[in-house]
Each structure stands twice: as structure tokens, then as C-alpha cells.
Amino acid sequence: MYPLYYGIPGEGESVHITSCANSNVSYKIQDSNAEECKPSVDPNNGRPIGNQCFHKPNEENENVLSSIMYYYLLPNANNFCDNGDNAHNDKAPTKQNVLCFGKSTWEVVEQNTDFKETKDVGKTTSFPELRFVQEEDLRIVIATDWTNKMKEFNRFQAIKEAANYFAKDQAPPGTELGLVAYTNESKIWTESLKTVPVSLSFYELASNTQSACMSCTVKDCIKVLSSSGKSAAGGSIVMVTTGEMDKKGVDTISEVLEKEKVRLSLILYPASENANPDLVKLAHDTKGRTFQIKEKSLDEFTTITSLLELHQAFQEVIRGNSWEASDIPVTIASQSWAGSVKNIAFEFTVDKTVRKDLRVSFYGRDLSDPGESPIALSSLKLVDPSGKIFDRSEIVNNRYFTVLGFNEKKAEAGQWKFSVNVRKTTSYPFLLWVSAKESSEKRAITANVWLSTEEEKNIGGLPIVYVDVRSGVYPVSNAKVETKVVDSSGNEKSFQLFDNGLGDPDVTQGDGIYSRYLTAVSRKGWYSLIIYVDDNNGAAKFLKGLDSDQPCCGSFVPEDNAESTESFSRISHYGRLYILHDELNGSHQPSRIIDLRVINLDELSKTVTLKWTAPGGDRDSGKGSYYVIKYFDNIYDARNQFESTGYDANPNDSLLTPEEYGTSQQESFLIEDSAWKDKVVYFGILCVNDKGRKGQVSNIVAAFLRSFPETTTVEEITTIHNITTTDPNDKEKYDSDSNLYLILGLVFGFIVFGLLVLLIVFLYFRRRKWKAERGLDYKKNQSHSENENNTNFHSNHKKDKDEIFQLPTPINYPENTNYVQKQINTNLNDVTVHSVTAQDVTPSAPNKNPSMWKHNSIYETATDSDSDVLTHGGKNGLNGRFDFQLSSSPLNSSLQSINEVDLPPKFPLPTVV
């Protein structure tokens, strides 16, 4: 999609390196075997042909000052391409030009909100100062609502259990952890930062307050983060709250967080539909996460589900805080069963990248009490791939919750089995959660999730979901990545993410970043996202880069050095988001096509064949309603004035419609004769959906439309075919004042004339030889009829149908027609045949209308006066039994013909080059 070199249509076979530089760059060009390579391009569309060549700039390019984004190793390339001295090449087929509609890197940088209010951006003589820093250990303060609402359904017990589980087992080693509990009058108590593992002391609820002062709490959290003598900057606040807060309070918190450079993450518990979306946006702006605990309560208790979701929320919160994932558990599997289930059996895979600290946790209510337990505790079993059975341990066991589990420091890779027998029905669900940490021998396969930022208003408020699947620095390609979207009513929708490099939204195929527009959201409101990743039935691979110094990467990451991931699975919780915009007109606009390309030009048929990948009708889902395909005289009209300028490209198939998203399509388009004038035209395409919404204009591609030379038809003396030749002098332009050119033209003309005469003579004798070989015997029957002006002849004599010939269609004959030639026996000395009529006399013929044939009087000489040529051409050809009648002059001429002759069926039109 983004070739390493290209040609400019109309400039012949000249090759240009795909780059952006202020002056010419010298290169070393080799193939994949480091051998010398000569790149070549198609002069009509500029695309590379033949073996792929690779280029590398030579080190001596000291005069090249830009662009640092093209090749940063050039010694003096310290500038971006722009519209000034470091001119941007907006016609090169680069990813920058395609995705940014021809804008330079610097133009895009200047439009960012970071520089919106800045004047003279980049105009400085100072050099940046680079400092290399190492990430500090995490510093986190848990701030939890301790008002009356936490007494309901014993929510405070779930918070205490989850916070202590985080402090003891989930937080990475070296993490410093503090605690603030708050009401409407700020804190009830605080705990200073302590290094994990640590046990957090929660006081019992004593407050009777109904609301909390969250802005006061944030200020207290800043004090805790600063208690060790360090700045609060770089620290994180994890706030457990309902999120019910007015705008003034949100603004106050925003000012504090921005000043102190502290990250805010939210755990909305219990989840409230009245949570302020501005508070969620604030967490997003500080690079924090938001998680929703959708509570279902039974009797006076919150269900065990709330505890599991709190455990998962705390685990995912820290994932966004640390660059290193080695000490953060990843979720391998998660499963739930209704309390009415008979027995439970479940299998999961432990892959080689996550064998450390395997934890299998089974959640339920009062499972440790044999008298009340709905399951048979003795049947609780975990078996590793070798058949070893593990003993259970109690993770949490009190009158509110019971979590039974298995811990293994270095688990065996492979398929594990979990099972338990259920003794009686219960109203509470059973839950299983499996997590582990990175192995010492391999980097863990992780799945990190994020959404497009709020700055992307061009997508109408519709977020893009991104999931980065990798093992350390190696991307994982060909994985199966699925997102489940849950709305506030509990309705679920699932859809698959793609790593296809089609550009809208996924930029590069095989880079391990899977993406998709969040079209599953149908209205304004709250949504939760859960990501499921697996090895896609063994298709997933680690891409470990190229074995050579070949450049990487354009639209895809090469698989030169790939390795199978083997079987694996991951579950990642993004958390909660709030969609600010209702769906527009029932759908969003179609996605953009960025892989449009010219694959063929046909000067004879005046067609250009284009190929592209079908966009979705609703962003990257479904299919569109129809395409708008146009061509233009210049690239800027195509990019910037697509709808108001240009010419419609008419498809040969008038029923051309978009296919499903991701389907490859191609079509030939008829281009007006006036465009074929040795000039370059530019093609673009966009898709329109069934709601009339238009997608963005595709990438623009160029094609060189050559003039087709004028032709002159010379009819030869033969019954085989007519010969069409092209006079080579048609395009010569002579200077009338130059005698030399005149003489050369005359000499050349005589030579051509002589060659044509020789050709005619050759074909004449060739025909005579052919006729002799065929042994054609034409019997002569003469019939005389005197008429003052003409003679009409109708013979009832039937001839052999070998006298009907199918011949190549002459070059100047109308296209898409069949061509039949009939040879008749005549005595044509000084006789002119005016017309020939063929009457269909087939018994089953639908009609008897005569069909006029064309008489080519090209053979009327005394030396061979026994034959003539009659031709007929029609879209459907002739086929059947026909009776021929001739009309001729002068009077008393003898004619001989054939009637009731079986013509062969129609035959396909031969290709004429």
C-alpha cells in the first residue's frame, strides 16, 4: 500500500524513492539477498513491478536537512517537512499523505491542541534538552466513600476485602499504598504510604452522613502522596465512589489534579446512573481509568459478583500506571454459573509466558460451612496437565464471603482442569477467576486496552477501541480479539477487532494493535467494555522483526521471523465509559477507503480498472449502499473538492454495489474519449450508506491515459480477412520549411507504399494457394433475365456449407459483434452488385425479416472473375438456414449464387491487438 519506490505516471520508467527530503538523497539499492537491484515501475500507474528492491541512504548525505520522520539517521536531518524551506512532497505514496490528506508532518503538529494558542511554533534556535528517567515505584492512595450508602447490603465488607486483597496480592512489589476514608466533612481517617504487601486497617462505619465531599478528599490524598517528603506528582488516586457530583466540584478537583500532576482512577460502586460524565472525562484526561461495579443484591447482602468485579477493577487500575507488566497479574480465564447448576467442570490453558503465581479462585457464599454449603467441598479439584491434583486453600473466609483457591508458584504450561460437585440449589452464583504473572523465561502476552481521545471530534463522538496484544516488544498477529459491550440495562453486544491495516481505523497490519469503531453503542449513556483475546485456533504468531536491515513498516509488519504463540487466552476489563452523543440518523458514516489502486489500463476499450477493499456502511461494520467514483485533472481537486469538481467514472457493470466490510472489489470504468490525450488523471472513491451519509474521500491514485493512434484501413485482395494497419507517419510532425524533413518524409512514404504493394501481392498468391488446397468447386448456373436497368437473380441451387467462413473481425469493425463472410460464385466482369438480401428460411425462425448484407466489391478483375466477398456483421451473428438474393447491373450480366445455406452458430469475438 505504501511502496518503497514509485513512478510518476506519464514520466516513463523513471523511479522515485518514497521519501520527503529537501534535496536529492543518494542511496544504496539492494534486494533481500543484499545483491544489487534495479527497481522498475509501471509507467501507466507508477506502481513497482518485478522483484522488490530495498534502499538505504548513504551516510554522506550531509546536505539533506529534512525529514527526520523519513530517515532519522541522516547526519543533518533535524527538521520536519513543511510548506517552507523543507518542502513537503505531497504526491509521494506515503502513509503520511494517505492518512493526513497530503498534509505535512509539521502541518499536523501545528493543528494539535498543544500548539493551538502558540505563535511561531518551531521557530527557535535553541536545542532541546533530553533527560533519561526511570519510572518510580507506584504510589497509590485508595480513597473510599464511607457514608451511609456503604452500609447498605454490607458494601463496606466488599470494599475492605478487595482493598486488602489488592494490598497483599495484586500490587507490584515496591508499591507504596495509602488510604483515605471520607464523608461530607472530608476524611474520617487516613493511613500514610506503606510498602506492600501490607494489611489496611479499616474502621467500622460510624457516620450517619448521606453525602461526601470528594473535592476535600482529593486534597487529603495529595497530602498523603506528599507525606514521604516527595512531590505528589506521578502519584495516583483510586477513588471508590458513586460518581454523583456537581460540575463545580468536578472543576475544583480538575484544578488540583492538573496543578499537582496526579492521575485519577474511578471505581463506581455502587454504580449510579446519576454519575457525572464530566468526572469520568476528568479521569480519562489524567490518563486514569473508570470501572463500574454493576451491583445485584440479594437479601441484605451484595452478591459475590460485586467482590469479584472489585478484585478485577483494582487489578486493571494499576495496569495503566506501570510500563512494566512483569509483576501485574493477567487474567487467563473467568467463568460464572447459576446457583441452580448440577455440577461444575471447566478447562483453561496456562501458556508458557504466564506460569508464575498461578491463582485459581472459586467464589461463593458460606462455602466453608459443611452444613450450609451448596457444594461438596471434598469434590473441589484442580488437576494440572500431568495429572497432579492440588490442595485447596482459603483466600477469603468470613460470614460475608468465601473464596477458595489454589496457588502454584511455577505452574506447568498446558491444559488445566477444575471441577466441583453441587449438592443443592442456591440463589447465589458460582464464579471462577484464573490469573497468573509473567514467567521468568518469557515475557507475558498482555492485552492493553484504550479508546480514542475526546479530541477526535471528526468521528462524531464515536470512540475507537484499541487493544495492544504483545509479548514484551514483540507484537502478536493473527490473534482473535473480541469486545463485549454491556449497556446500563445489562444488554450485551459482541464484535471482533481487526489488525488489517486498512487505515480506518487500523493503520498497520500485523503490529499487534487491533481496533474497531464502537458502533455497538446505540444511544447516549453508560457502557462497560470487556476484551477477550485468544490464539485464534493456533493462528496467532509473535512477530520478531526482520532478519536484515530492510526498512519496516508500511501497511504491514513482515512475518520474516515469526513464531507460533501456542495456545493462550486473556481477559481484560477496560471499565466504564459514557457516550455523549446519540446515534445520528440511525447510523454513522461509512469508513474510508485507503487502498485504492490502478491495476490495468486498456486504451482500446477506453477503460481503467481499479481495485480496493470495501468499506463498512456503518463505519467498519456492514456494507454501504453505493459508490461515487470520479477522476480529476489534478490531485488537489480530488482531495479537496471531490464533490464539486471532476468527472464521473462509469462502471461497465451499472449494478456495482459495495460488498461487506473488508471484501476485495475491483471494477473497470469507461473513461470518456476526451480524457485519453496523453495526460495524467487522478481517481478517487467514496462510499454512501443507506441513510445518505457519505464517507471521506479515499486515497488518490494517478493513471496516464495515452492517446490511441489514428488508424487507416486497407482492404486487401483476399477472402480470409481485411487488414487494418497504422500509418507510422500519422504522428510525425514536419516543418514545412525544412527540405530535409520533406525529402525524408517522401522517401519513407515510398518505402511504406512499396511494402504494402508487396504485402498485397503476397496475400493474393497466398489466397490462390489456399483456395486450391481447399478444393473449392463452384458450379456455374447461369440465368438470364433482361431488364432495362438491372438484373435480379434468385437461384434454387443448394451449395455445400463449407463455403461459409468465420473470419477474424477487422480492426475497424464495430466492437462486440460477430463477423461472418460468404463467398459466392459470380462472373463479375464489369458487373456491380448493388445489394444482397439474406432471408431466414429456418422452419423454427421466429420471424422472416430479411437481413441486409454488405457487399465488399474489392475483387472485380478479369483475371479472376469467379468469386466475390459478401460480409455480414451483427451483435448476435447469423445462425440458421438462409436464402440469398442479389441485385446487380448492367443488364444481361450472368450471376450465380447460393440459397438455403446452413450458417454456423455465432462465435465469440476474437481479440484484436
Side-chain angles (χ1 to χ4, degrees):
M1 196 181 303
Y2 310 111
L4 297 175
Y5 51 89
Y6 66 99
I8 298 178
E11 290 190 1
E13 298 181 357
S14 177
V15 175
H16 300 261
I17 300 297
T18 304
S19 64
C20 190
N22 67 307
S23 62
N24 292 330
V25 182
S26 61
Y27 301 92
K28 183 178 182 181
I29 301 179
Q30 298 177 329
D31 60 18
S32 58
N33 297 318
E35 301 290 337
E36 184 177 352
C37 185
K38 183 178 180 181
S40 58
V41 295
D42 187 326
N44 293 323
N45 59 26
R47 295 186 61 82
I49 56 177
N51 296 329
Q52 179 78 310
C53 295
F54 303 93
H55 67 276
K56 183 178 181 180
N58 295 319
E59 296 180 359
E60 63 270 14
N61 286 286
E62 296 184 356
N63 60 325
V64 180
L65 307 180
S66 64
S67 162
I68 191 172
M69 296 297 291
Y70 160 56
Y71 196 76
Y72 66 92
L73 292 179
L74 292 175
N76 296 320
N78 301 317
N79 302 281
F80 293 111
C81 281
D82 54 32
N83 293 327
D85 296 335
N86 302 300
H88 173 59
N89 180 4
D90 61 358
K91 293 184 179 180
T94 63
K95 185 182 293 187
Q96 170 75 25
N97 282 332
V98 170
L99 299 182
C100 301
F101 297 91
K103 294 179 181 178
S104 69
T105 304
W106 195 242
E107 283 182 277
V108 175
V109 170
E110 286 182 308
Q111 292 174 2
N112 189 275
T113 53
D114 292 343
F115 302 101
K116 188 175 293 184
E117 305 298 331
T118 305
K119 295 182 179 180
D120 298 328
V121 176
K123 295 181 180 179
T124 177
T125 57
S126 63
F127 289 92
E129 179 183 348
L130 300 179
R131 291 184 298 165
F132 295 91
V133 298
Q134 183 176 357
E135 184 182 26
E136 295 180 344
D137 290 328
L138 297 179
R139 289 178 296 135
I140 301 173
V141 176
I142 299 174
T144 179
D145 187 334
W146 222 237
T147 58
N148 276 351
K149 65 173 65 72
M150 292 304 173
K151 288 183 179 180
E152 299 173 3
F153 306 110
N154 288 290
R155 294 183 182 117
F156 73 96
Q157 291 294 340
I159 294 174
K160 286 170 60 177
E161 296 295 349
N164 272 294
Y165 181 56
F166 173 73
K168 294 176 182 178
D169 297 287
Q170 290 180 307
T175 299
E176 294 182 286
L177 201 60
L179 179 67
V180 173
Y182 61 91
T183 64
N184 61 339
E185 297 176 355
S186 187
K187 64 180 180 295
I188 292 179
W189 78 90
T190 64
E191 280 198 23
S192 299
L193 295 175
K194 296 179 181 179
T195 303
V196 299
V198 64
S199 178
L200 298 177
S201 300
F202 283 82
Y203 292 90
E204 291 297 321
L205 284 169
S207 172
N208 291 318
T209 56
Q210 300 297 320
S211 61
C213 177
M214 293 173 62
S215 58
C216 305
T217 303
V218 169
K219 294 177 182 178
D220 287 329
C221 291
I222 297 296
K223 293 178 182 179
V224 174
L225 288 170
S226 306
S227 61
S228 60
K230 297 180 180 179
S231 167
S236 297
I237 300 172
V238 178
M239 183 174 288
V240 183
T241 176
T242 62
E244 297 176 359
M245 190 178 192
D246 59 23
K247 186 178 185 304
K248 182 178 179 181
V250 175
D251 292 342
T252 301
I253 294 176
S254 177
E255 292 175 5
V256 174
L257 295 176
E258 184 177 356
K259 177 183 177 182
E260 300 293 340
K261 295 180 171 56
V262 171
R263 179 179 300 185
L264 173 67
S265 290
L266 301 172
I267 298 178
L268 301 178
Y269 177 62
S272 171
E273 292 303 310
N274 297 321
N276 191 336
D278 291 334
L279 182 62
V280 176
K281 183 179 183 302
L282 174 61
H284 182 275
D285 291 343
T286 65
K287 310 304 179 185
R289 308 278 289 276
T290 300
F291 296 88
Q292 170 191 3
I293 311 301
K294 191 66 178 176
E295 185 181 56
K296 292 181 180 179
S297 56
L298 292 171
D299 304 325
E300 74 277 15
F301 297 107
T302 185
T303 65
I304 196 74
T305 306
S306 297
L307 179 61
L308 174 57
E309 290 183 358
L310 281 167
H311 283 168
Q312 293 172 336
F314 274 109
Q315 175 177 290
E316 295 296 331
V317 160
I318 57 177
R319 193 174 304 286
N321 282 269
S322 176
W323 290 99
E324 293 294 333
S326 59
D327 292 315
I328 301 177
V330 296
T331 298
I332 295 175
S334 183
Q335 187 67 34
S336 64
W337 295 269
S340 58
V341 70
K342 298 289 185 181
N343 292 298
I344 293 173
F346 184 72
E347 294 187 9
F348 58 90
T349 301
V350 175
D351 60 272
K352 293 179 180 179
T353 71
V354 284
R355 298 175 55 199
K356 179 182 175 183
D357 294 344
L358 174 68
R359 170 159 288 182
V360 181
S361 304
F362 186 67
Y363 292 68
R365 174 78 65 185
D366 293 333
L367 299 181
S368 61
D369 186 343
E372 296 293 329
S373 177
I375 68 171
L377 293 179
S378 60
S379 69
L380 196 66
K381 186 184 296 185
L382 180 68
V383 183
D384 74 5
S386 298
K388 178 183 176 182
I389 300 176
F390 287 78
D391 295 328
R392 68 177 176 84
S393 61
E394 295 179 354
I395 299 174
V396 177
N397 182 16
N398 56 39
R399 70 188 187 93
Y400 302 105
F401 304 105
T402 299
V403 182
L404 305 176
F406 304 85
N407 296 294
E408 175 65 9
K409 290 299 182 183
K410 191 172 183 180
E412 181 181 354
Q415 200 77 2
W416 288 63
K417 297 178 180 180
F418 172 84
S419 61
V420 65
N421 297 329
V422 179
R423 299 195 312 187
K424 67 177 183 179
T425 299
T426 176
S427 300
Y428 295 93
F430 299 113
L431 308 170
L432 184 71
W433 183 31
V434 183
S435 64
K437 293 182 181 179
E438 184 177 279
S439 306
S440 57
E441 62 269 22
K442 281 200 172 186
R443 298 300 304 271
I445 297 175
T446 57
N448 295 320
V449 191
W450 72 93
L451 299 183
S452 56
T453 67
E454 289 295 322
E455 296 171 0
E456 298 185 52
K457 296 299 182 184
N458 62 308
I459 63 171
L462 183 66
I464 302 172
V465 184
Y466 295 94
V467 179
D468 185 10
V469 184
R470 63 184 58 249
S471 172
V473 297
Y474 299 139
V476 175
S477 70
N478 298 328
K480 180 181 178 182
V481 181
E482 190 173 77
T483 297
K484 182 167 71 175
V485 182
V486 185
D487 66 17
S488 57
S489 300
N491 300 313
E492 299 179 358
K493 289 184 180 180
S494 296
F495 58 94
Q496 191 170 341
L497 274 63
F498 302 120
D499 183 17
N500 53 21
L502 294 181
D504 189 13
D506 193 76
V507 174
T508 305
Q509 179 182 353
D511 63 353
I513 300 177
Y514 299 75
S515 57
R516 194 83 183 267
Y517 282 101
L518 196 57
T519 55
V521 299
S522 57
R523 64 179 67 87
K524 182 177 180 179
W526 293 100
Y527 295 87
S528 293
L529 300 182
I530 305 174
I531 311 299
Y532 299 88
V533 184
D534 63 40
D535 62 293
N536 196 17
N537 295 320
K541 303 175 183 178
F542 300 116
L543 298 187
K544 296 188 174 182
L546 298 168
D547 292 324
S548 64
D549 59 354
Q550 298 172 11
C552 176
C553 301
S555 59
F556 66 95
V557 176
E559 295 188 2
D560 295 33
N561 194 8
E563 177 185 323
S564 173
T565 63
E566 301 182 355
S567 179
F568 78 92
S569 63
R570 298 289 184 272
I571 300 175
S572 184
H573 294 254
Y574 172 79
R576 201 178 196 208
L577 69 150
Y578 188 82
I579 299 298
L580 299 172
H581 303 275
D582 280 323
E583 189 178 11
L584 299 176
N585 297 331
S587 68
H588 303 280
Q589 70 185 57
S591 54
R592 183 185 176 217
I593 298 169
I594 69 161
D595 65 343
L596 180 67
R597 51 205 182 276
V598 178
I599 62 171
N600 188 53
L601 289 88
D602 190 337
E603 293 94 342
L604 289 176
S605 62
K606 300 294 190 295
T607 58
V608 175
T609 304
L610 304 177
K611 189 174 184 178
W612 66 93
T613 302
D618 189 10
R619 282 298 180 183
D620 50 9
S621 299
K623 62 180 179 179
S625 180
Y626 64 92
Y627 291 118
V628 178
I629 304 103
K630 302 178 78 173
Y631 61 95
F632 301 79
D633 293 327
N634 67 77
I635 192 172
Y636 305 106
D637 284 347
R639 282 177 180 161
N640 306 317
Q641 302 183 63
F642 183 86
E643 295 190 40
S644 59
T645 61
Y647 313 92
D648 291 330
N650 301 312
N652 283 349
D653 179 3
S654 60
L655 299 179
L656 174 65
T657 56
E659 299 289 346
E660 287 288 334
Y661 172 78
T663 304
S664 180
Q665 289 193 263
Q666 75 176 54
E667 181 59 51
S668 297
F669 298 90
L670 184 63
I671 307 302
E672 294 182 359
D673 290 353
S674 58
W676 298 81
K677 298 297 182 183
D678 286 339
K679 70 174 185 178
V680 178
V681 298
Y682 300 86
F683 291 86
I685 180 173
L686 62 78
C687 183
V688 184
N689 65 19
D690 56 358
K691 302 295 182 181
R693 303 201 66 194
K694 298 178 180 179
Q696 293 179 302
V697 179
S698 69
N699 62 305
I700 306 303
V701 293
F704 182 65
L705 306 187
R706 300 180 182 277
S707 297
F708 189 70
E710 296 180 2
T711 60
T712 301
T713 301
V714 179
E715 297 178 316
E716 298 296 336
I717 308 174
T718 176
T719 62
I720 299 179
H721 57 78
N722 292 339
I723 300 176
T724 300
T725 61
T726 300
D727 187 350
N729 292 318
D730 283 350
K731 285 193 172 182
E732 293 290 342
K733 301 194 182 302
Y734 297 106
D735 185 350
S736 59
D737 296 329
S738 173
N739 291 331
L740 177 61
Y741 285 164
L742 179 60
I743 293 172
L744 290 175
L746 291 173
V747 171
F748 188 71
F750 280 121
I751 291 173
V752 172
F753 178 77
L755 290 173
L756 289 176
V757 170
L758 290 174
L759 180 61
I760 291 171
V761 172
F762 168 77
L763 291 176
Y764 166 73
F765 286 104
R766 180 70 183 85
R767 171 198 167 278
R768 295 293 301 269
K769 181 180 179 181
W770 172 82
K771 179 178 176 182
E773 291 174 350
R774 295 281 293 176
L776 296 178
D777 181 23
Y778 297 100
K779 297 180 180 180
K780 299 183 180 180
N781 283 319
Q782 297 184 348
S783 175
H784 297 276
S785 174
E786 293 191 9
N787 188 293
E788 197 173 73
N789 295 314
N790 61 67
T791 300
N792 290 325
F793 172 78
H794 183 184
S795 171
N796 290 322
H797 180 72
K798 182 176 179 179
K799 283 285 186 177
D800 191 310
K801 63 180 179 182
D802 282 345
E803 295 176 324
I804 305 300
F805 303 102
Q806 297 175 348
L807 302 175
T809 303
I811 294 176
N812 64 332
Y813 206 82
E815 201 170 340
N816 296 325
T817 61
N818 290 337
Y819 183 78
V820 179
Q821 199 165 42
K822 168 80 172 62
Q823 187 171 29
I824 63 174
N825 214 17
T826 60
N827 186 3
L828 291 179
N829 288 332
D830 300 319
V831 173
T832 300
V833 177
H834 295 304
S835 66
V836 181
T837 301
Q839 174 72 45
D840 190 347
V841 294
T842 307
S844 60
N847 58 69
K848 303 294 184 179
N849 293 328
S851 174
M852 292 299 296
W853 282 42
K854 176 184 178 183
H855 170 243
N856 293 326
S857 53
I858 64 171
Y859 200 114
E860 299 181 9
T861 65
T863 57
D864 189 358
S865 58
D866 62 349
S867 63
D868 197 7
V869 175
L870 302 176
T871 62
H872 174 79
K875 203 156 193 179
N876 298 317
L878 284 179
N879 129 42
R881 184 172 291 272
F882 289 83
D883 182 16
F884 296 94
Q885 296 183 17
L886 285 74
S887 175
S888 66
S889 63
L891 186 64
N892 296 326
S893 293
S894 61
L895 298 174
Q896 190 172 32
S897 184
I898 309 164
N899 75 312
E900 293 188 2
V901 175
D902 289 325
L903 288 180
K906 60 183 179 181
F907 56 96
L909 184 69
T911 301
V912 180
V913 180

